[in-house]
Amino acid sequence: MSLPHAILTALLEKPSSGLELTRRFDKSIGYFWSATHQQIYRELGRLEREGAIRALPRQGATRGQKKEYEVLPAGRDELARWTAASQDPKPLRDTLLLRLRAAAVVGTDGVQADLHRHLGLHRQQLAEYEEIERRDFPPGKDAVEDRLRHVVLRAGIDLETFWTQWLERTIEELEAP
């Protein structure tokens, strides 16, 4: 169960409200672990009930003020336990690959257009990741925390590079006479 661990990670980086977490998921963690607004709020409630996080005391008037959460020692301990645990790689499940296998049986009508669409989407994501790398990881930013964040981003860059190259070759193969 990784969503609670993603939330604990984000809250350890910076105490946040549910809305702030949702926005941060959209801009960083969501690139490799997505969650809806409802899932995040549901998980915040569960983590609070379990004693892993708590709502910070509010300053002044509370009406309309967002609840901001922080991680408690039990939450930090759980995240450390999970981080150190062994986990096997997950098998690849990709609908596009299954659809191509099916196209070998029923024909390729419509497949090439979608391959081109996928190629455009992967090129766009690759460009976004490369811009984040240029902006957030200049030379000399080499604290261990920065290096770990950078290797996660590099995984995204490498995956998008793979998909871009694979789609280009696949389109070439399908368009060959």
Side-chain angles (χ1 to χ4, degrees):
M1 173 104 31
S2 295
L3 179 56
H5 301 104
I7 290 172
L8 289 170
T9 299
L11 289 175
L12 279 169
E13 290 174 341
K14 179 180 182 235
S16 304
S17 69
L19 180 59
E20 290 167 334
L21 274 175
T22 300
R23 289 180 180 151
R24 289 175 56 209
F25 262 70
D26 288 343
K27 292 180 182 175
S28 61
I29 292 174
Y31 286 122
F32 55 90
W33 196 268
S34 62
T36 66
H37 185 79
Q38 293 85 359
Q39 288 172 316
I40 290 172
Y41 275 94
R42 191 171 35 245
E43 199 59 46
L44 284 169
R46 191 180 69 72
L47 287 167
E48 188 173 26
R49 283 189 306 278
E50 292 176 355
I53 65 171
R54 73 173 180 139
L56 290 169
R58 296 179 178 174
Q59 305 290 331
T62 59
R63 188 176 192 141
Q65 195 175 20
K66 297 177 193 125
K67 235 191 224 188
E68 198 167 86
Y69 296 92
E70 71 175 352
V71 177
L72 295 171
R76 181 181 280 278
D77 291 346
E78 168 53 22
L79 188 59
R81 182 209 59 78
W82 179 77
T83 301
S86 176
Q87 187 175 15
D88 293 337
K90 300 289 182 212
L92 177 63
R93 288 177 52 148
D94 190 283
T95 308
L96 179 61
L97 297 176
L98 182 57
R99 288 176 48 230
L100 288 176
R101 182 69 184 253
V105 178
V106 298
T108 61
D109 288 347
V111 171
Q112 288 173 320
D114 201 41
L115 289 172
H116 282 282
R117 185 180 71 81
H118 275 257
L119 179 58
L121 292 170
H122 284 286
R123 284 178 174 160
Q124 182 180 353
Q125 189 64 65
L126 177 58
E128 189 173 336
Y129 285 162
E130 289 173 337
E131 177 54 34
I132 291 169
E133 184 178 42
R134 278 189 291 280
R135 182 190 68 221
D136 294 349
F137 297 99
K141 191 172 184 179
D142 58 0
V144 70
E145 297 86 1
D146 294 324
R147 291 194 315 257
L148 288 171
R149 288 182 186 106
H150 194 195
V151 298
V152 171
L153 177 62
R154 283 294 325 160
I157 290 170
D158 292 347
L159 283 169
E160 293 303 327
T161 299
F162 161 78
W163 281 112
T164 300
Q165 293 171 351
W166 180 83
L167 284 160
E168 289 168 346
R169 286 191 311 270
T170 302
I171 290 167
E172 263 181 44
E173 187 70 29
L174 288 175
E175 292 177 351

